[in-house]
Amino acid sequence: MASVTSKARIRIRDPTPADIPVIADIHFGAFGTNVAGKLLSPNGVTAEQKKRFAASLYPLPEPTIENGEMILKVVELFPEGVSDDGAPGEVIAFAKWDLHRHPRTEEQWDVDIPMQTLETLGEGSNPEFHNAFLRGLHLKRKELAKGDPVLMLKILCTAPHRQRLGAGWALITWGTALADQLGIPTQLEASPPGYPLYKRAGYQPVGMHDLEVIKTYGGIREEGESFGENTVEDLGPLPEGVYRTSIMRRPARTKEE
């Protein structure tokens, strides 16, 4: 593995088919170690789960009124002294957005998603927790965004061994720049570790999804793991054993702002 210094360079680009398995590895590597990730895949992430996730991203699906237009970007890394001309760099992060350019009627945005089963999720998954956690986030998301034009940041993650190189920040600012250009707000769901970074980017908490994960689902909290204590000042008390995902929103800004 090439050594990386503070002078390493990163570049955002569109993904290629060869990037998709790497994206899947980054996704499950980044999210699979926290309490929610472990509950979603109690026995570890399977090859089938990675395959299904990859298929949901690429080829990019056609835009729909319900889901909007999917945007997918990767960040590649070029260590110091390595040219970014010619051969691709190391893909170290990615982000997925859903873009809703135009207002939607209540009939168009107030669409439920079906309960997931072992058959739809694949062997090794936990449908009960999936429905409580991810489906619960979906319901919160549409409750707050409704039918307004919005750029929804759905996923952003960096390979664990390539953090603190600016890849996540580069993706966040790429998305906010697009939203400002279009004159629409951005919205996302922040995990506890991501909460301070998104606040720094101008996102403010507008809601939360609290889920009791210890007693109800048998989750295990690793030493030093945050369940959302860093959100208490903004969003209120966090009961013992509850894992908090923060719903955050950033209004469009003009050049003068």
Side-chain angles (χ1 to χ4, degrees):
M1 182 181 298
S3 62
V4 176
T5 72
S6 60
K7 295 182 180 179
R9 289 168 296 122
I10 58 176
R11 178 175 68 184
I12 297 176
R13 63 168 172 81
D14 293 333
T16 68
D19 296 326
I20 304 307
V22 180
I23 287 175
D25 286 339
I26 291 173
H27 173 78
F28 289 106
F31 292 128
T33 57
N34 64 23
V35 66
K38 291 177 180 177
L39 286 172
L40 287 168
S41 303
N43 298 313
V45 178
T46 66
E48 177 64 20
Q49 287 175 303
K50 287 187 178 182
K51 181 179 178 181
R52 290 183 184 224
F53 176 76
S56 72
L57 297 179
Y58 203 89
L60 294 180
E62 290 295 321
T64 65
I65 293 177
E66 178 184 348
N67 296 320
E69 171 190 341
M70 182 193 291
I71 300 173
L72 190 64
K73 295 289 181 180
V74 300
V75 173
E76 55 184 355
L77 171 71
F78 299 90
E80 181 183 2
V82 176
S83 172
D84 59 2
D85 295 329
E90 175 193 355
V91 173
I92 64 169
F94 80 97
K96 170 196 169 187
W97 296 263
D98 286 347
L99 171 60
H100 296 278
R101 296 176 181 269
H102 308 291
R104 292 165 292 158
T105 66
E106 183 173 356
E107 185 179 57
Q108 292 171 332
W109 66 260
D110 192 13
V111 178
D112 200 2
I113 58 173
M115 300 288 283
Q116 298 296 306
T117 65
L118 194 61
E119 182 179 356
T120 59
L121 294 174
E123 291 294 331
S125 61
N126 181 349
E128 181 184 9
F129 184 73
H130 185 283
N131 288 318
F133 181 53
L134 296 181
R135 186 171 182 274
L137 284 174
H138 167 82
L139 296 176
K140 280 284 185 181
R141 185 185 308 134
K142 73 173 186 177
E143 171 190 330
L144 291 166
K146 294 185 166 54
D148 296 336
V150 65
L151 180 64
M152 196 75 67
L153 177 56
K154 300 292 289 295
I155 307 172
L156 187 153
C157 51
T158 302
H161 68 290
R162 293 305 197 199
Q163 293 182 350
R164 302 187 184 280
L165 294 174
W169 184 255
L171 288 166
I172 291 171
T173 54
W174 186 95
T176 55
L178 174 62
D180 290 346
Q181 178 185 346
L182 296 173
I184 61 176
T186 55
Q187 186 172 308
L188 55 83
E189 294 100 35
S191 64
Y195 186 78
L197 185 66
Y198 292 123
K199 281 198 72 174
R200 184 156 66 92
Y203 288 87
Q204 293 299 318
V206 293
M208 58 192 175
H209 179 49
D210 285 358
L211 192 60
E212 208 296 315
V213 295
I214 304 297
K215 294 180 181 179
T216 304
Y217 297 101
I220 298 175
R221 184 173 189 168
E222 298 294 338
E223 184 177 354
E225 181 176 3
S226 173
F227 272 25
E229 289 80 7
N230 55 350
T231 70
V232 168
E233 184 177 344
D234 295 327
L235 292 170
L238 184 70
E240 185 71 23
V242 169
Y243 183 82
R244 173 171 291 169
T245 304
S246 304
I247 319 300
M248 307 184 76
R249 199 169 174 91
R250 176 188 179 275
R253 295 180 178 177
T254 64
K255 291 182 179 180
E256 289 71 25
E257 295 176 291

